[in-house]
Amino acid sequence: MKNKDSILYYSDLLCKKIDMHVDAFMERVEAIRAKQPTQAEFIEEMTMKPLGMQISYLTNKLLNILREGK
């Protein structure tokens, strides 16, 4: 993959993961409002934390690609 293609590919993935994280956050807020702490914790542990790790990975990947291009 060329640098430009890689940047576009990983940027697109990063945006999708951020959108998914926001959606999960809103689901968690709704669970808290509905007084469902078990559901809120489940959403955080099973969705938000893994997405956070994926976002971190993709961010680092993009930073490495950008550093290589200098």
Side-chain angles (χ1 to χ4, degrees), residues 9-61:
Y9 175 75
Y10 287 112
S11 295
D12 184 55
L13 279 177
L14 180 60
C15 288
K16 288 177 183 176
K17 296 298 179 175
I18 291 170
D19 287 344
M20 291 170 69
H21 195 272
V22 169
D23 290 343
F25 176 79
M26 295 309 296
E27 286 181 34
R28 183 175 178 271
V29 168
E30 290 303 317
I32 291 169
R33 285 184 176 167
K35 298 185 184 340
Q36 297 174 337
T38 304
Q39 181 68 17
E41 182 181 357
F42 179 81
I43 292 167
E44 182 174 352
E45 294 296 324
M46 298 302 290
T47 306
M48 293 180 70
K49 284 187 179 180
L51 285 169
M53 293 185 327
Q54 292 171 28
I55 289 168
S56 179
Y57 171 82
L58 291 169
T59 301
N60 287 328
K61 191 77 170 165

